[in-house]
Amino acid sequence: MSNKYADRSRVVKTIFIVVGILFVGRLAMLQLFDPKYRKLADQQSLRSVTQYPARGFIYDRHGELLVHNEAVYDLMVIPRLVKDLDTAYFCEALGITREEFDERMQKARKWSTYSASPFMKQISKEEYARFENKMFRFSKGFYISQRTLRYYDRPIAAQVLGYVGEVDQADLDRDPYYNRGDYIGKSGLEKSYEEVLRGIKGKRVMHVDVHNREIGPYQHGTLDTLPVEGYNLYTTLDADLQQYAEELMANKRGCVVALEPSTGEVLAMVSAPTYDPNLLVGRIRGENYKRLNSDIAKPMLNRALMGQYPPGSIFKVAQSMVALDLGVITPSSGFGCDKSLVGCHNHPSAQSVQEAIKMSCNPYFYQVYRRVIQQGKYKNIYKDSQYGLTVWREYMLRFGFGQKLPIDLPRAGVQSGNIPDTAYYNRWYGKERWAFSTIYSNSIGQGEVTVVPIQMANLAAIVANRGYYITPHVVRFYGPDSIRNEEYYTRHETGIDPKYFDIAAAGMFDVVHVAGGTARRARVDGLDICGKTGTAENYGNDHSVFICFAPRDNPKIAMAVYVENAQGGGGTWAAPIAGLLVEKYLNGEVKRKDVETMYKEINPCQKLPLTRRVKKAKKKG
């Protein structure tokens, strides 16, 4: 009998032990191994607040502040903690409707009921001051997080500086640094130098009471980290020149690119029409972005990097250098102005390369290009043309044409233009079905050749440097240690003898300063401006083109100006605008106020008034 009860006792004890082990194990799982309940407890008593770093400032080449930060506030919400809320009073305090409240709360719950997300973003200091003393009534589930927004001291260089916007899903997937509600550079320098400018986020972990009010740092702040502010950018831009160029390009479509030839530094980059970069800051950003993005004039398009245009007659400078280096012509080669070959304006026949550049003679460069393409290497004219085109294209690539110049702005927005190769024409016409007579329009910068305005300015810099260029760039250095990108300090040689570029410089000087030159309106007394006009054919009105550099010796500035659909050609529009810009940069001021006023106010549709006013201005001068 005793053994019978002893067995039962052991069974009962075993059951109690097993049940006890299960309870202990479950408690251990809940308290030690399963983070869910610990996380819920922490969310009830702790708040982790992101400490956003100050984004780096952006300066011009003279140290003038272009972009800085201003404090704003985000109202954050943790949906599951929102209790006993007087919704009507809350909406009244924030100036929103009940429908907006419901929509925002639904969006927050969809993101997470346990984690904080923005309920109202980018509240200004003034707006926050109006309801700050009411925040205690919204303390359950709501709190304020401070951040900074960009502010642009001058309304200039919008397409270069870029703008900052909220991260999208692609940004979140690409970089774990970002969380929902964070901001990131979306275009321009803000995008290409995002990792330099953004800094490093910090964190503050706080105890909160049952009303979600902060009562002190958790563990005496041992888990807190301080934010590290972003590096400052010191750009190559000249703010005064940039602003002046934008004023001259008002009422026009086109672009201006000005470089310092010896360094490749971008002094100004204007795309017209432009916009005030402050329009894409704050809560108004979304509405303004839609308006700007849908504008038929495309103010958000950076034409200096994204526009692909026929170069027109400015291309003749490069054609001359290639032909001289190949030896197919000499500096004193002369050709008659035979308009039966290709149309031209009235002028004497050019007896040298220098004269041909000055007069911009189309038949002359028709003959030059024919000698480059048909060098007589093969008896078969088609093979000979293929050989010549291949050689010609290799030269043009050395000038930076037909490829993306790796400027330090978002590369996705930089175009390459087109320098056609043999494969291009084989696809178009068929193999051995084309020759010089098929592609002669390339000789004068038309046909299948297209270039980007940054490449045009770079061509002017190459002539200014007598045969080489430094890759154009917009940032000199960044950070307290003056970090710089060595990529932008390397010379790129064309391999053409510098003596030929002296001929080009002489011809370009004559274009501006000698009777018969096509850019007399670019002349500024006391300045040795060397330039080349172009009229790029278009389906509508032709485009006005001008490249230049100055002074002739030891040049300080090289430039391209492109005015779309401008009646009258390069000498009428682009050249005088460039002359004003060179005068502003080299002399510090413009004395020809009548000419300045005229080109600021008038637009390319006003052909006849322009002609009369130019004559009037000349008489006054």
Side-chain angles (χ1 to χ4, degrees), residues 55 161 163 185-195 410 412:
R55 197 169 177 88
L161 297 174
Y163 66 93
K186 290 290 188 178
S187 68
L189 292 177
E190 296 280 16
K191 181 176 182 178
S192 56
Y193 284 88
E194 166 66 15
E195 294 185 9

Side-chain angles (χ1 to χ4, degrees), residues 16-28:
F16 274 102
I17 290 171
V18 170
V19 171
I21 291 173
L22 289 174
F23 272 109
V24 171
R26 181 58 179 163
L27 288 172

Side-chain angles (χ1 to χ4, degrees), residues 337-350:
C337 184
D338 185 354
K339 295 178 185 178
S340 66
L341 299 176
V342 60
C344 195
H345 52 282
N346 295 320
H347 60 79
S349 295

Side-chain angles (χ1 to χ4, degrees), residues 1-10:
M1 181 69 70
S2 60
N3 289 338
K4 178 180 178 181
Y5 287 110
D7 291 341
R8 290 178 178 176
S9 175
R10 282 195 294 273

Side-chain angles (χ1 to χ4, degrees), residues 14-309:
T14 301
I15 291 172
F16 274 102
I17 290 171
V18 170
V19 171
I21 291 173
L22 289 174
F23 272 109
V24 171
R26 181 58 179 163
L27 288 172
M29 286 291 295
L30 293 176
Q31 297 186 27
L32 300 178
F33 301 106
D34 189 343
K36 177 181 178 181
Y37 293 94
R38 175 62 180 272
K39 184 177 180 181
L40 290 174
D42 286 346
Q43 287 178 341
Q44 292 282 357
S45 62
L46 300 179
R47 176 188 298 157
S48 180
V49 180
T50 299
Q51 299 290 93
Y52 288 99
R55 197 169 177 88
F57 292 179
I58 302 179
Y59 296 87
D60 89 333
R61 67 189 296 106
H62 303 298
E64 179 179 338
L65 184 61
L66 299 177
V67 188
H68 69 271
N69 305 311
E70 285 196 346
V72 294
Y73 303 87
D74 288 347
L75 180 61
M76 309 297 289
V77 62
I78 304 173
R80 72 178 305 273
L81 298 182
V82 177
K83 297 178 181 177
D84 305 323
L85 180 66
D86 184 343
T87 308
Y89 183 77
F90 180 81
C91 292
E92 182 183 355
L94 293 180
I96 62 175
T97 65
R98 179 57 190 261
E99 289 74 19
E100 288 175 313
F101 171 85
D102 292 338
E103 183 181 344
R104 295 180 188 209
M105 285 299 297
Q106 183 179 2
K107 186 177 180 181
R109 291 191 189 99
K110 187 176 181 181
W111 167 252
S112 174
T113 58
Y114 293 95
S115 299
S117 62
F119 180 86
M120 180 178 284
K121 297 178 287 188
Q122 302 173 9
I123 302 170
S124 69
K125 291 181 292 185
E126 294 76 17
E127 291 174 311
Y128 177 58
R130 285 197 295 269
F131 70 86
E132 181 181 11
N133 60 345
K134 304 175 184 177
M135 274 300 297
F136 74 95
R137 298 187 59 172
F138 319 137
S139 58
K140 291 184 179 180
F142 292 94
Y143 69 92
I144 287 291
S145 175
Q146 183 176 329
R147 68 163 75 235
T148 58
L149 284 183
R150 301 304 249 174
Y151 181 80
Y152 302 85
D153 291 74
R154 293 201 199 184
I156 61 172
Q159 295 97 337
V160 178
L161 297 174
Y163 66 93
V164 174
E166 189 172 344
V167 294
D168 55 26
Q169 191 58 49
D171 298 320
L172 296 173
D173 294 340
R174 182 172 55 250
D175 192 336
Y177 171 87
Y178 299 100
N179 297 312
R180 185 173 178 269
D182 285 355
Y183 288 81
I184 188 173
K186 290 290 188 178
S187 68
L189 292 177
E190 296 280 16
K191 181 176 182 178
S192 56
Y193 284 88
E194 166 66 15
E195 294 185 9
V196 171
L197 289 165
R198 73 186 183 188
I200 301 173
K201 289 184 288 190
K203 181 177 67 173
R204 185 164 55 92
V205 184
M206 302 296 293
H207 264 305
V208 294
D209 62 15
V210 293
H211 299 293
N212 202 32
R213 294 176 297 198
E214 294 182 359
I215 57 177
Y218 178 62
Q219 293 184 0
H220 305 288
T222 55
L223 298 182
D224 295 355
T225 57
L226 292 174
V228 179
E229 64 183 20
Y231 285 159
N232 295 332
L233 288 187
Y234 298 86
T235 72
T236 64
L237 295 175
D238 184 302
D240 290 338
L241 184 66
Q242 178 78 25
Q243 181 169 330
Y244 188 62
E246 292 188 13
E247 291 171 357
L248 288 174
M249 291 298 290
N251 307 317
K252 306 168 186 68
R253 294 189 190 185
C255 57
V256 173
V257 181
L259 307 174
E260 184 176 69
S262 61
T263 63
E265 294 179 355
V266 176
L267 302 173
M269 181 179 289
V270 176
S271 180
T274 186
Y275 62 94
D276 183 346
N278 288 301
L279 291 174
L280 297 182
V281 174
R283 293 207 303 272
I284 61 172
R285 190 193 76 84
E287 181 181 341
N288 286 337
Y289 178 84
K290 289 179 182 178
R291 179 172 59 83
L292 291 169
N293 197 44
S294 61
D295 191 331
I296 193 172
K298 302 185 184 226
M300 299 187 72
L301 174 72
N302 189 344
R303 288 168 164 83
L305 301 179
M306 303 178 73
Q308 299 186 90
Y309 304 96

